[in-house]
Amino acid sequence: MSEYDKSRKIANDTLEKGKAAAEQTARSVEQSYTATVENMRDYSLKMIDMAQANADAVFELTRRLASAKAPSDIAELWTAHAKKQFETLTEQTKELSALGQKIAGESAEPITRGVSQAFKKAS
């Protein structure tokens, strides 16, 4: 085999490995995009559910305040509502934080895995 043929074979092999790596990376990006869209949908739905729960709590408070008989009842209702809403906000923040971490991890994982596999194939 001549030097030209050897060089040509090496170039073709390198080109094929690069092509395979690029295809793998493209598939990984597509998987990542799909995962991100699905997770963002879940995140949006969770935000809507939380907004509804918070609005319901405000309406319930308003209803109870409207039926309060004495100023002390109003203070008691307001204090209980504030305490409950603080607890709810704390829980909602934890849920959103966990969901955000899940989104970040699941969205990046296909790309990380794909790039890693692409480099293994290319080497």
Side-chain angles (χ1 to χ4, degrees):
M1 183 181 281
S2 70
E3 285 299 314
Y4 172 76
D5 290 335
K6 288 179 185 176
S7 295
R8 197 172 108 223
K9 182 174 178 1
I10 290 171
N12 283 338
D13 289 346
T14 303
L15 182 63
E16 287 301 315
K17 286 180 182 179
K19 181 180 172 186
E23 289 171 354
Q24 177 66 37
T25 301
R27 281 191 298 274
S28 298
V29 168
E30 183 180 348
Q31 290 171 351
S32 176
Y33 175 77
T34 300
T36 300
V37 168
E38 289 174 6
N39 286 328
M40 289 307 296
R41 183 193 65 229
D42 293 344
Y43 191 86
S44 294
L45 290 171
K46 178 60 81 175
M47 291 289 294
I48 291 167
D49 289 344
M50 289 177 176
Q52 182 172 1
N54 293 337
D56 290 347
V58 169
F59 283 116
E60 181 62 28
L61 172 65
T62 304
R63 181 177 290 117
R64 288 181 178 184
L65 289 174
S67 64
K69 305 270 191 243
S72 61
D73 294 340
I74 293 172
E76 184 180 321
L77 289 168
W78 186 262
T79 302
H81 172 77
K83 180 181 177 190
K84 183 178 178 187
Q85 282 307 108
F86 181 77
E87 292 168 356
T88 299
L89 178 62
T90 301
E91 185 59 34
Q92 288 173 343
T93 301
K94 288 178 187 177
E95 289 177 28
L96 290 177
S97 177
L99 193 52
Q101 289 175 352
K102 176 185 174 203
I103 290 169
E106 288 182 4
S107 298
E109 195 274 328
I111 291 177
T112 304
R113 183 183 64 242
V115 169
S116 176
Q117 290 174 350
F119 279 119
K120 286 180 185 176
K121 287 181 183 178
S123 58

